[in-house]
Amino acid sequence: MRRPLIAGNWKMHFTVPEGLEYALRLRHDLEAFATLVELVILPPAVMLWEIANALRGCPVEVGAQNASWEDQGPFTGEISPKMLAGWCHHLLIGHSERRQLFNETDEQLNRKLQAAFRHNLKVILALGETLEEHDLGRTEEVITRQLSAALYGIDVKRAIDLTLAYEPVWAIGTGRAATPEYADETMGMIRNLLAGKFGQLASEIRILYGGSVNPANARSLMEKPEIDGALVGGASLKAADFTAIVQATAEVVQSARA
Ligand code: PEP
């Protein structure tokens, strides 16, 4: 069993003092699970440095929700992977909100991935089909395109720094999570694609599920063999819910070991 990872995507929520207070609460609540589950929070960029400092030395790691493919220059409003290097552990790339609302293309996401790896950030690469693509039976085609474009030119050695997040767009923020069976099957297909690119190393790459994960469905999702954790949006904003998801994941690990 791969060590599961639970990542909380805070999106554009909390003021800086609220975010800091919340991160400290999570540090307190989640520390007990950290030997079993890898823990990542993705706060908004404006509070990332402060939260990273507050969590220094604690097993809850921080990541950025987005970054440019450039290192520096006249790119108003952007932050660069070079700015994150050395203190921020992870970078989320390719979230469907970035793809849809900010028109990020596969080619741009590939450049972001290359830039992130250049600065030794670990990457969570999100991909998944829209409802229309799902209903048209195009899921495999869409994911194949997203994955091969994002990974174009990426060295095999980088596989260890890569985590994928399969997020069917129709499940994000809708309360309509994919069934564990559907997610597991689709993620098995994704792992086959990874094997085509990375060979045996594909079996070490974690694939998270994302889309309306909550305390009630977390366990049945995490029990599936291809699901190596979760990218959590809405439920990551409430300490009790996020902690319950982490706890359910830790319990699955414990029963697998028993
Ligand atoms: C997300 O935004 O990545 C996400 C999975 O959101 P939610 O958990 O709210 O569906």
Side-chain angles (χ1 to χ4, degrees):
M1 186 183 189
R2 290 168 286 269
R3 185 165 183 247
L5 188 159
I6 302 290
N9 175 12
W10 295 5
K11 309 194 187 192
M12 198 173 73
H13 292 285
F14 302 131
T15 62
V16 175
E18 285 166 355
L20 184 59
E21 191 186 336
Y22 185 52
L24 294 174
R25 163 89 194 267
L26 290 180
R27 179 174 77 175
H28 172 267
D29 293 357
L30 298 180
E31 218 148 19
F33 303 108
T35 53
L36 300 170
V37 182
E38 198 170 319
L39 302 163
V40 177
I41 54 171
L42 304 161
V46 70
M47 60 190 80
L48 202 48
W49 168 255
E50 184 132 19
I51 290 177
N53 278 328
L55 298 184
R56 202 175 292 265
C58 123
V60 181
E61 297 192 327
V62 297
Q65 296 173 15
N66 178 41
S68 170
W69 56 80
E70 298 284 353
D71 282 359
Q72 60 193 29
F75 304 101
T76 302
E78 290 290 290
I79 61 166
S80 83
K82 187 181 175 189
M83 295 170 181
L84 300 169
W87 59 272
C88 178
H89 311 97
H90 303 264
L91 174 62
L92 175 61
I93 291 177
H95 192 281
S96 64
E97 287 154 14
R98 301 291 323 168
R99 292 177 190 263
Q100 293 190 328
L101 303 175
F102 301 97
N103 301 317
E104 292 191 359
T105 64
D106 287 328
E107 193 262 334
Q108 289 172 333
L109 298 176
N110 173 254
R111 293 176 74 187
K112 289 185 179 210
L113 198 62
Q114 310 242 23
F117 283 155
R118 216 168 43 238
H119 292 286
N120 295 319
L121 294 166
K122 292 182 191 160
V123 170
I124 301 173
L125 174 68
L127 34 78
E129 79 284 8
T130 63
L131 182 60
E132 191 189 358
E133 289 160 346
H134 175 264
D135 290 349
L136 289 170
R138 294 184 50 217
T139 299
E140 182 165 356
E141 171 205 328
V142 168
I143 288 176
T144 303
R145 190 205 72 226
Q146 290 175 334
L147 193 64
S148 65
L151 297 182
Y152 181 77
I154 298 293
D155 195 296
V156 171
K157 289 194 211 102
R158 288 300 187 177
I160 49 161
D161 294 323
L162 181 68
T163 297
L164 297 187
Y166 169 56
E167 300 208 303
V169 180
W170 44 269
I172 296 178
T174 59
R176 189 188 151 206
T179 62
E181 293 69 28
Y182 177 83
D184 191 55
E185 192 185 317
T186 311
M187 290 156 82
M189 179 271 288
I190 295 173
R191 193 167 304 284
N192 283 337
L193 294 173
L194 283 174
K197 170 82 185 169
F198 293 121
Q200 286 195 340
L201 281 177
S203 64
E204 291 173 33
I205 297 175
R206 281 177 297 204
I207 309 179
L208 316 181
Y209 167 77
S212 297
V213 176
N214 60 41
N217 63 19
R219 191 178 179 112
S220 59
L221 286 160
M222 297 311 142
E223 280 172 344
K224 288 292 176 194
E226 289 296 353
I227 303 186
D228 304 320
L231 180 55
V232 185
S236 76
L237 302 175
K238 291 191 192 127
D241 286 358
F242 194 57
T243 304
I245 292 167
V246 171
Q247 182 170 356
T249 308
E251 284 167 7
V252 171
V253 178
Q254 264 166 338
S255 18
R257 286 184 184 173

Short mmCIF file of all heavy atoms in Angstrom, two decimals, residues 43-107:
data_model
loop_
_atom_site.label_atom_id
_atom_site.label_comp_id
_atom_site.label_asym_id
_atom_site.label_seq_id
_atom_site.Cartn_x
_atom_site.Cartn_y
_atom_site.Cartn_z
N PRO A 43 -3.01 26.66 1.51
CA PRO A 43 -3.66 27.94 1.81
C PRO A 43 -3.48 28.94 0.66
O PRO A 43 -2.63 28.74 -0.21
CB PRO A 43 -2.91 28.45 3.05
CG PRO A 43 -2.04 27.31 3.50
CD PRO A 43 -1.80 26.47 2.30
N PRO A 44 -4.24 30.03 0.67
CA PRO A 44 -4.01 31.07 -0.33
C PRO A 44 -2.60 31.64 -0.23
O PRO A 44 -2.00 31.66 0.86
CB PRO A 44 -5.05 32.14 0.03
CG PRO A 44 -6.11 31.40 0.79
CD PRO A 44 -5.38 30.32 1.53
N ALA A 45 -2.08 32.13 -1.35
CA ALA A 45 -0.67 32.55 -1.41
C ALA A 45 -0.33 33.64 -0.39
O ALA A 45 0.77 33.65 0.16
CB ALA A 45 -0.36 33.05 -2.82
N VAL A 46 -1.28 34.51 -0.09
CA VAL A 46 -0.98 35.66 0.77
C VAL A 46 -0.63 35.23 2.20
O VAL A 46 0.05 35.97 2.91
CB VAL A 46 -2.18 36.65 0.74
CG1 VAL A 46 -3.40 36.08 1.45
CG2 VAL A 46 -1.80 37.99 1.31
N MET A 47 -1.03 34.05 2.61
CA MET A 47 -0.76 33.62 3.99
C MET A 47 0.20 32.42 4.05
O MET A 47 0.46 31.87 5.11
CB MET A 47 -2.07 33.29 4.72
CG MET A 47 -2.87 32.20 4.09
SD MET A 47 -4.54 32.03 4.81
CE MET A 47 -5.46 33.33 4.00
N LEU A 48 0.72 32.06 2.87
CA LEU A 48 1.50 30.82 2.80
C LEU A 48 2.79 30.88 3.63
O LEU A 48 3.11 29.95 4.37
CB LEU A 48 1.82 30.56 1.32
CG LEU A 48 2.16 29.18 0.84
CD1 LEU A 48 1.18 28.14 1.35
CD2 LEU A 48 2.19 29.16 -0.68
N TRP A 49 3.50 31.97 3.51
CA TRP A 49 4.79 32.11 4.20
C TRP A 49 4.59 32.07 5.72
O TRP A 49 5.30 31.37 6.44
CB TRP A 49 5.44 33.43 3.76
CG TRP A 49 6.61 33.86 4.56
CD1 TRP A 49 6.65 34.86 5.50
CD2 TRP A 49 7.95 33.32 4.51
NE1 TRP A 49 7.91 34.97 6.03
CE2 TRP A 49 8.73 34.04 5.45
CE3 TRP A 49 8.56 32.30 3.78
CZ2 TRP A 49 10.09 33.78 5.66
CZ3 TRP A 49 9.92 32.05 4.00
CH2 TRP A 49 10.66 32.78 4.92
N GLU A 50 3.60 32.80 6.17
CA GLU A 50 3.34 32.86 7.61
C GLU A 50 2.95 31.48 8.16
O GLU A 50 3.41 31.04 9.21
CB GLU A 50 2.23 33.87 7.88
CG GLU A 50 1.98 34.07 9.33
CD GLU A 50 1.89 35.55 9.72
OE1 GLU A 50 1.67 36.39 8.82
OE2 GLU A 50 2.04 35.83 10.89
N ILE A 51 2.10 30.79 7.40
CA ILE A 51 1.66 29.46 7.85
C ILE A 51 2.82 28.46 7.77
O ILE A 51 3.00 27.63 8.68
CB ILE A 51 0.43 29.00 7.03
CG1 ILE A 51 -0.78 29.86 7.43
CG2 ILE A 51 0.14 27.52 7.25
CD1 ILE A 51 -2.05 29.58 6.66
N ALA A 52 3.62 28.56 6.73
CA ALA A 52 4.78 27.65 6.61
C ALA A 52 5.68 27.83 7.83
O ALA A 52 6.18 26.85 8.39
CB ALA A 52 5.54 27.93 5.32
N ASN A 53 5.90 29.06 8.26
CA ASN A 53 6.74 29.30 9.43
C ASN A 53 6.10 28.75 10.70
O ASN A 53 6.76 28.16 11.53
CB ASN A 53 7.00 30.80 9.60
CG ASN A 53 8.13 31.25 8.69
OD1 ASN A 53 9.05 30.48 8.43
ND2 ASN A 53 8.05 32.46 8.19
N ALA A 54 4.79 28.94 10.81
CA ALA A 54 4.09 28.46 12.01
C ALA A 54 4.10 26.93 12.09
O ALA A 54 4.05 26.38 13.18
CB ALA A 54 2.66 28.98 12.01
N LEU A 55 4.18 26.27 10.93
CA LEU A 55 4.14 24.79 10.91
C LEU A 55 5.52 24.16 10.78
O LEU A 55 5.64 22.94 10.64
CB LEU A 55 3.25 24.30 9.76
CG LEU A 55 1.77 24.71 9.81
CD1 LEU A 55 1.01 24.07 8.67
CD2 LEU A 55 1.13 24.34 11.14
N ARG A 56 6.54 25.00 10.80
CA ARG A 56 7.91 24.49 10.62
C ARG A 56 8.19 23.36 11.63
O ARG A 56 7.89 23.50 12.81
CB ARG A 56 8.91 25.62 10.82
CG ARG A 56 10.25 25.35 10.17
CD ARG A 56 11.14 26.57 10.32
NE ARG A 56 10.65 27.71 9.54
CZ ARG A 56 11.07 28.03 8.32
NH1 ARG A 56 11.99 27.28 7.75
NH2 ARG A 56 10.60 29.06 7.67
N GLY A 57 8.74 22.27 11.14
CA GLY A 57 9.09 21.17 12.03
C GLY A 57 7.91 20.28 12.39
O GLY A 57 8.06 19.31 13.12
N CYS A 58 6.73 20.62 11.89
CA CYS A 58 5.56 19.79 12.20
C CYS A 58 5.19 19.02 10.94
O CYS A 58 5.49 19.44 9.82
CB CYS A 58 4.44 20.68 12.73
SG CYS A 58 2.92 20.61 11.84
N PRO A 59 4.57 17.86 11.08
CA PRO A 59 4.36 17.01 9.91
C PRO A 59 3.30 17.50 8.93
O PRO A 59 3.13 16.90 7.88
CB PRO A 59 3.96 15.67 10.51
CG PRO A 59 3.53 15.96 11.89
CD PRO A 59 4.18 17.20 12.34
N VAL A 60 2.57 18.56 9.25
CA VAL A 60 1.62 19.08 8.27
C VAL A 60 2.39 20.02 7.33
O VAL A 60 2.92 21.04 7.76
CB VAL A 60 0.47 19.86 8.96
CG1 VAL A 60 -0.52 20.38 7.92
CG2 VAL A 60 -0.24 18.99 10.00
N GLU A 61 2.48 19.63 6.05
CA GLU A 61 3.26 20.42 5.10
C GLU A 61 2.37 21.41 4.36
O GLU A 61 1.15 21.25 4.34
CB GLU A 61 3.95 19.49 4.10
CG GLU A 61 4.94 18.55 4.78
CD GLU A 61 5.83 17.83 3.81
OE1 GLU A 61 5.39 17.51 2.69
OE2 GLU A 61 7.00 17.58 4.19
N VAL A 62 3.00 22.42 3.76
CA VAL A 62 2.21 23.41 3.03
C VAL A 62 2.50 23.33 1.54
O VAL A 62 3.56 22.90 1.11
CB VAL A 62 2.49 24.86 3.51
CG1 VAL A 62 2.08 25.04 4.95
CG2 VAL A 62 3.93 25.25 3.29
N GLY A 63 1.52 23.78 0.77
CA GLY A 63 1.69 23.86 -0.67
C GLY A 63 0.96 25.08 -1.21
O GLY A 63 0.07 25.62 -0.55
N ALA A 64 1.38 25.50 -2.39
CA ALA A 64 0.72 26.62 -3.07
C ALA A 64 -0.34 26.08 -4.02
O ALA A 64 -0.21 24.97 -4.54
CB ALA A 64 1.75 27.44 -3.83
N GLN A 65 -1.36 26.86 -4.24
CA GLN A 65 -2.46 26.43 -5.11
C GLN A 65 -2.17 26.66 -6.59
O GLN A 65 -2.87 26.16 -7.46
CB GLN A 65 -3.74 27.20 -4.75
CG GLN A 65 -4.24 26.93 -3.36
CD GLN A 65 -5.40 27.84 -2.98
OE1 GLN A 65 -6.01 28.48 -3.84
NE2 GLN A 65 -5.70 27.92 -1.70
N ASN A 66 -1.13 27.48 -6.85
CA ASN A 66 -0.85 27.85 -8.22
C ASN A 66 0.48 28.59 -8.25
O ASN A 66 0.87 29.19 -7.26
CB ASN A 66 -1.96 28.79 -8.74
CG ASN A 66 -1.71 29.28 -10.15
OD1 ASN A 66 -1.27 28.51 -11.01
ND2 ASN A 66 -1.96 30.56 -10.40
N ALA A 67 1.18 28.53 -9.36
CA ALA A 67 2.36 29.37 -9.55
C ALA A 67 2.61 29.48 -11.04
O ALA A 67 2.12 28.68 -11.84
CB ALA A 67 3.58 28.77 -8.85
N SER A 68 3.40 30.48 -11.39
CA SER A 68 3.74 30.75 -12.79
C SER A 68 4.74 29.72 -13.31
O SER A 68 5.34 28.98 -12.54
CB SER A 68 4.36 32.15 -12.87
OG SER A 68 4.91 32.37 -14.13
N TRP A 69 4.95 29.73 -14.62
CA TRP A 69 6.04 28.92 -15.18
C TRP A 69 7.31 29.76 -15.30
O TRP A 69 8.36 29.25 -15.62
CB TRP A 69 5.65 28.36 -16.55
CG TRP A 69 5.25 29.40 -17.56
CD1 TRP A 69 6.08 30.18 -18.31
CD2 TRP A 69 3.92 29.76 -17.91
NE1 TRP A 69 5.34 31.01 -19.12
CE2 TRP A 69 4.01 30.77 -18.89
CE3 TRP A 69 2.67 29.33 -17.50
CZ2 TRP A 69 2.88 31.37 -19.46
CZ3 TRP A 69 1.55 29.94 -18.07
CH2 TRP A 69 1.66 30.93 -19.04
N GLU A 70 7.18 31.06 -15.05
CA GLU A 70 8.35 31.94 -15.11
C GLU A 70 8.98 32.07 -13.72
O GLU A 70 8.30 31.92 -12.71
CB GLU A 70 7.92 33.34 -15.58
CG GLU A 70 7.33 33.39 -16.97
CD GLU A 70 8.37 33.28 -18.07
OE1 GLU A 70 9.58 33.30 -17.76
OE2 GLU A 70 7.97 33.17 -19.25
N ASP A 71 10.26 32.39 -13.69
CA ASP A 71 10.94 32.58 -12.40
C ASP A 71 10.73 34.00 -11.86
O ASP A 71 10.66 34.22 -10.65
CB ASP A 71 12.45 32.35 -12.56
CG ASP A 71 12.77 30.86 -12.60
OD1 ASP A 71 11.83 30.04 -12.49
OD2 ASP A 71 13.96 30.54 -12.75
N GLN A 72 10.70 34.97 -12.74
CA GLN A 72 10.56 36.37 -12.33
C GLN A 72 10.25 37.22 -13.56
O GLN A 72 10.34 36.72 -14.68
CB GLN A 72 11.85 36.88 -11.69
CG GLN A 72 13.03 36.81 -12.62
CD GLN A 72 14.35 37.01 -11.88
OE1 GLN A 72 14.48 36.70 -10.71
NE2 GLN A 72 15.33 37.55 -12.58
N GLY A 73 9.90 38.48 -13.33
CA GLY A 73 9.71 39.38 -14.47
C GLY A 73 8.39 40.11 -14.42
O GLY A 73 7.70 40.14 -13.39
N PRO A 74 8.03 40.75 -15.54
CA PRO A 74 6.83 41.58 -15.58
C PRO A 74 5.56 40.73 -15.75
O PRO A 74 4.99 40.66 -16.83
CB PRO A 74 7.08 42.48 -16.79
CG PRO A 74 7.94 41.67 -17.69
CD PRO A 74 8.76 40.77 -16.82
N PHE A 75 5.15 40.08 -14.67
CA PHE A 75 3.97 39.21 -14.70
C PHE A 75 3.09 39.57 -13.51
O PHE A 75 3.02 38.83 -12.51
CB PHE A 75 4.39 37.73 -14.67
CG PHE A 75 5.33 37.37 -15.78
CD1 PHE A 75 6.69 37.26 -15.55
CD2 PHE A 75 4.86 37.20 -17.08
CE1 PHE A 75 7.56 36.97 -16.58
CE2 PHE A 75 5.72 36.91 -18.12
CZ PHE A 75 7.08 36.79 -17.88
N THR A 76 2.46 40.73 -13.60
CA THR A 76 1.70 41.29 -12.48
C THR A 76 0.70 40.29 -11.91
O THR A 76 -0.07 39.69 -12.64
CB THR A 76 0.97 42.56 -12.96
OG1 THR A 76 1.94 43.47 -13.46
CG2 THR A 76 0.20 43.22 -11.82
N GLY A 77 0.78 40.15 -10.58
CA GLY A 77 -0.18 39.29 -9.90
C GLY A 77 0.25 37.85 -9.76
O GLY A 77 -0.40 37.08 -9.05
N GLU A 78 1.33 37.47 -10.42
CA GLU A 78 1.76 36.07 -10.36
C GLU A 78 2.76 35.84 -9.22
O GLU A 78 3.43 36.77 -8.77
CB GLU A 78 2.45 35.69 -11.68
CG GLU A 78 1.50 35.60 -12.86
CD GLU A 78 0.56 34.42 -12.76
OE1 GLU A 78 1.01 33.28 -12.89
OE2 GLU A 78 -0.64 34.64 -12.55
N ILE A 79 2.87 34.60 -8.78
CA ILE A 79 3.98 34.21 -7.92
C ILE A 79 4.74 33.10 -8.65
O ILE A 79 4.17 32.40 -9.47
CB ILE A 79 3.52 33.72 -6.53
CG1 ILE A 79 2.60 32.50 -6.64
CG2 ILE A 79 2.83 34.83 -5.76
CD1 ILE A 79 2.40 31.78 -5.33
N SER A 80 6.04 33.01 -8.34
CA SER A 80 6.83 32.04 -9.12
C SER A 80 7.28 30.88 -8.25
O SER A 80 7.43 31.02 -7.04
CB SER A 80 8.05 32.74 -9.73
OG SER A 80 9.09 32.81 -8.78
N PRO A 81 7.57 29.74 -8.89
CA PRO A 81 8.09 28.60 -8.13
C PRO A 81 9.43 28.93 -7.48
O PRO A 81 9.75 28.39 -6.43
CB PRO A 81 8.22 27.49 -9.18
CG PRO A 81 8.05 28.12 -10.49
CD PRO A 81 7.36 29.42 -10.31
N LYS A 82 10.18 29.84 -8.09
CA LYS A 82 11.45 30.23 -7.47
C LYS A 82 11.21 30.89 -6.12
O LYS A 82 11.99 30.74 -5.18
CB LYS A 82 12.17 31.20 -8.43
CG LYS A 82 13.56 31.56 -7.99
CD LYS A 82 14.19 32.52 -8.98
CE LYS A 82 15.56 32.98 -8.47
NZ LYS A 82 16.07 34.07 -9.30
N MET A 83 10.11 31.64 -6.01
CA MET A 83 9.78 32.30 -4.74
C MET A 83 9.37 31.28 -3.67
O MET A 83 9.47 31.55 -2.49
CB MET A 83 8.63 33.29 -4.94
CG MET A 83 8.94 34.45 -5.83
SD MET A 83 7.40 35.34 -6.19
CE MET A 83 8.04 36.62 -7.27
N LEU A 84 8.86 30.14 -4.12
CA LEU A 84 8.37 29.13 -3.17
C LEU A 84 9.47 28.15 -2.76
O LEU A 84 9.35 27.47 -1.74
CB LEU A 84 7.24 28.32 -3.83
CG LEU A 84 6.00 29.10 -4.28
CD1 LEU A 84 5.10 28.22 -5.14
CD2 LEU A 84 5.23 29.62 -3.07
N ALA A 85 10.53 28.13 -3.56
CA ALA A 85 11.55 27.10 -3.38
C ALA A 85 12.22 27.20 -2.01
O ALA A 85 12.52 28.29 -1.53
CB ALA A 85 12.61 27.22 -4.48
N GLY A 86 12.42 26.05 -1.39
CA GLY A 86 13.20 26.00 -0.15
C GLY A 86 12.35 26.04 1.11
O GLY A 86 12.81 25.66 2.18
N TRP A 87 11.11 26.53 1.02
CA TRP A 87 10.29 26.58 2.24
C TRP A 87 8.87 26.06 2.02
O TRP A 87 8.21 25.64 2.95
CB TRP A 87 10.23 28.02 2.80
CG TRP A 87 9.68 29.02 1.82
CD1 TRP A 87 10.38 29.73 0.89
CD2 TRP A 87 8.31 29.40 1.67
NE1 TRP A 87 9.53 30.52 0.16
CE2 TRP A 87 8.25 30.35 0.63
CE3 TRP A 87 7.12 29.04 2.31
CZ2 TRP A 87 7.06 30.93 0.22
CZ3 TRP A 87 5.94 29.63 1.90
CH2 TRP A 87 5.92 30.56 0.86
N CYS A 88 8.42 26.08 0.80
CA CYS A 88 7.08 25.57 0.49
C CYS A 88 7.28 24.19 -0.15
O CYS A 88 8.08 24.05 -1.07
CB CYS A 88 6.39 26.53 -0.48
SG CYS A 88 4.77 25.98 -0.99
N HIS A 89 6.59 23.19 0.35
CA HIS A 89 6.92 21.83 -0.09
C HIS A 89 6.24 21.44 -1.39
O HIS A 89 6.81 20.73 -2.21
CB HIS A 89 6.50 20.82 0.98
CG HIS A 89 6.95 21.18 2.36
ND1 HIS A 89 6.15 21.82 3.27
CD2 HIS A 89 8.15 21.02 2.95
CE1 HIS A 89 6.82 22.02 4.39
NE2 HIS A 89 8.04 21.55 4.23
N HIS A 90 5.00 21.86 -1.59
CA HIS A 90 4.19 21.32 -2.69
C HIS A 90 3.62 22.45 -3.56
O HIS A 90 3.48 23.59 -3.11
CB HIS A 90 3.00 20.52 -2.14
CG HIS A 90 3.41 19.40 -1.24
ND1 HIS A 90 3.56 18.11 -1.67
CD2 HIS A 90 3.71 19.39 0.09
CE1 HIS A 90 3.94 17.34 -0.65
NE2 HIS A 90 4.02 18.10 0.43
N LEU A 91 3.25 22.06 -4.77
CA LEU A 91 2.55 22.99 -5.65
C LEU A 91 1.44 22.22 -6.36
O LEU A 91 1.68 21.15 -6.95
CB LEU A 91 3.52 23.58 -6.68
CG LEU A 91 2.90 24.46 -7.77
CD1 LEU A 91 2.24 25.69 -7.16
CD2 LEU A 91 3.98 24.88 -8.78
N LEU A 92 0.24 22.77 -6.28
CA LEU A 92 -0.90 22.19 -7.00
C LEU A 92 -0.94 22.80 -8.40
O LEU A 92 -0.89 24.03 -8.54
CB LEU A 92 -2.20 22.52 -6.24
CG LEU A 92 -3.52 22.11 -6.88
CD1 LEU A 92 -3.62 20.61 -7.08
CD2 LEU A 92 -4.70 22.61 -6.02
N ILE A 93 -1.04 21.95 -9.39
CA ILE A 93 -1.08 22.41 -10.78
C ILE A 93 -2.27 21.76 -11.47
O ILE A 93 -2.53 20.56 -11.29
CB ILE A 93 0.23 22.02 -11.52
CG1 ILE A 93 1.41 22.82 -10.97
CG2 ILE A 93 0.11 22.26 -13.03
CD1 ILE A 93 2.75 22.44 -11.61
N GLY A 94 -2.98 22.55 -12.25
CA GLY A 94 -4.00 21.97 -13.13
C GLY A 94 -5.36 21.76 -12.51
O GLY A 94 -6.19 21.01 -13.06
N HIS A 95 -5.63 22.43 -11.37
CA HIS A 95 -6.98 22.31 -10.81
C HIS A 95 -8.00 22.75 -11.86
O HIS A 95 -7.75 23.68 -12.63
CB HIS A 95 -7.10 23.16 -9.55
CG HIS A 95 -8.34 22.87 -8.77
ND1 HIS A 95 -9.56 23.39 -9.14
CD2 HIS A 95 -8.56 22.10 -7.69
CE1 HIS A 95 -10.48 22.93 -8.29
NE2 HIS A 95 -9.91 22.17 -7.40
N SER A 96 -9.15 22.11 -11.87
CA SER A 96 -10.13 22.41 -12.94
C SER A 96 -10.59 23.87 -12.88
O SER A 96 -10.97 24.44 -13.91
CB SER A 96 -11.33 21.48 -12.84
OG SER A 96 -12.01 21.69 -11.63
N GLU A 97 -10.55 24.48 -11.69
CA GLU A 97 -10.93 25.91 -11.63
C GLU A 97 -9.89 26.76 -12.37
O GLU A 97 -10.23 27.77 -12.99
CB GLU A 97 -11.09 26.35 -10.17
CG GLU A 97 -12.37 25.76 -9.57
CD GLU A 97 -12.36 25.58 -8.06
OE1 GLU A 97 -11.48 26.14 -7.38
OE2 GLU A 97 -13.25 24.84 -7.57
N ARG A 98 -8.62 26.37 -12.28
CA ARG A 98 -7.59 27.09 -13.04
C ARG A 98 -7.78 26.81 -14.54
O ARG A 98 -7.64 27.71 -15.37
CB ARG A 98 -6.18 26.64 -12.64
CG ARG A 98 -5.81 26.82 -11.19
CD ARG A 98 -5.65 28.24 -10.73
NE ARG A 98 -5.05 29.13 -11.67
CZ ARG A 98 -5.05 30.47 -11.51
NH1 ARG A 98 -5.62 31.02 -10.45
NH2 ARG A 98 -4.48 31.24 -12.40
N ARG A 99 -8.10 25.59 -14.89
CA ARG A 99 -8.28 25.26 -16.31
C ARG A 99 -9.49 26.00 -16.88
O ARG A 99 -9.44 26.58 -17.96
CB ARG A 99 -8.49 23.75 -16.48
CG ARG A 99 -7.28 22.88 -16.18
CD ARG A 99 -7.63 21.40 -16.32
NE ARG A 99 -6.62 20.49 -15.82
CZ ARG A 99 -5.70 19.90 -16.58
NH1 ARG A 99 -5.66 20.11 -17.86
NH2 ARG A 99 -4.82 19.06 -16.04
N GLN A 100 -10.60 26.00 -16.11
CA GLN A 100 -11.85 26.52 -16.68
C GLN A 100 -12.00 28.03 -16.50
O GLN A 100 -12.37 28.73 -17.43
CB GLN A 100 -13.03 25.82 -16.02
CG GLN A 100 -13.10 24.34 -16.38
CD GLN A 100 -14.39 23.67 -15.95
OE1 GLN A 100 -14.97 24.04 -14.94
NE2 GLN A 100 -14.83 22.70 -16.72
N LEU A 101 -11.74 28.52 -15.28
CA LEU A 101 -12.00 29.95 -15.01
C LEU A 101 -10.86 30.84 -15.47
O LEU A 101 -11.04 32.01 -15.74
CB LEU A 101 -12.24 30.17 -13.51
CG LEU A 101 -13.37 29.36 -12.88
CD1 LEU A 101 -13.43 29.59 -11.37
CD2 LEU A 101 -14.70 29.75 -13.51
N PHE A 102 -9.64 30.28 -15.50
CA PHE A 102 -8.48 31.09 -15.87
C PHE A 102 -7.83 30.60 -17.17
O PHE A 102 -6.72 31.00 -17.50
CB PHE A 102 -7.47 31.11 -14.71
CG PHE A 102 -8.09 31.68 -13.45
CD1 PHE A 102 -8.60 30.85 -12.47
CD2 PHE A 102 -8.22 33.05 -13.28
CE1 PHE A 102 -9.21 31.35 -11.33
CE2 PHE A 102 -8.83 33.58 -12.15
CZ PHE A 102 -9.32 32.73 -11.16
N ASN A 103 -8.56 29.75 -17.86
CA ASN A 103 -8.18 29.31 -19.21
C ASN A 103 -6.77 28.73 -19.32
O ASN A 103 -6.07 28.95 -20.30
CB ASN A 103 -8.31 30.47 -20.21
CG ASN A 103 -9.73 30.99 -20.24
OD1 ASN A 103 -10.67 30.20 -20.24
ND2 ASN A 103 -9.89 32.30 -20.23
N GLU A 104 -6.35 28.03 -18.28
CA GLU A 104 -5.02 27.43 -18.36
C GLU A 104 -5.04 26.23 -19.31
O GLU A 104 -5.92 25.38 -19.23
CB GLU A 104 -4.54 27.01 -16.96
CG GLU A 104 -4.28 28.22 -16.10
CD GLU A 104 -3.56 27.90 -14.79
OE1 GLU A 104 -3.25 26.73 -14.53
OE2 GLU A 104 -3.31 28.87 -14.04
N THR A 105 -4.04 26.21 -20.17
CA THR A 105 -4.02 25.16 -21.20
C THR A 105 -3.08 24.03 -20.78
O THR A 105 -2.22 24.21 -19.91
CB THR A 105 -3.51 25.73 -22.54
OG1 THR A 105 -2.13 26.15 -22.34
CG2 THR A 105 -4.33 26.92 -22.99
N ASP A 106 -3.22 22.89 -21.46
CA ASP A 106 -2.33 21.77 -21.19
C ASP A 106 -0.87 22.18 -21.38
O ASP A 106 0.01 21.78 -20.62
CB ASP A 106 -2.64 20.60 -22.15
CG ASP A 106 -3.95 19.91 -21.79
OD1 ASP A 106 -4.29 19.85 -20.60
OD2 ASP A 106 -4.63 19.42 -22.71
N GLU A 107 -0.62 22.98 -22.40
CA GLU A 107 0.75 23.38 -22.70
C GLU A 107 1.31 24.27 -21.57
O GLU A 107 2.45 24.11 -21.14
CB GLU A 107 0.74 24.12 -24.06
CG GLU A 107 2.08 24.36 -24.68
CD GLU A 107 2.61 25.76 -24.42
OE1 GLU A 107 1.79 26.68 -24.22
OE2 GLU A 107 3.85 25.92 -24.41
#
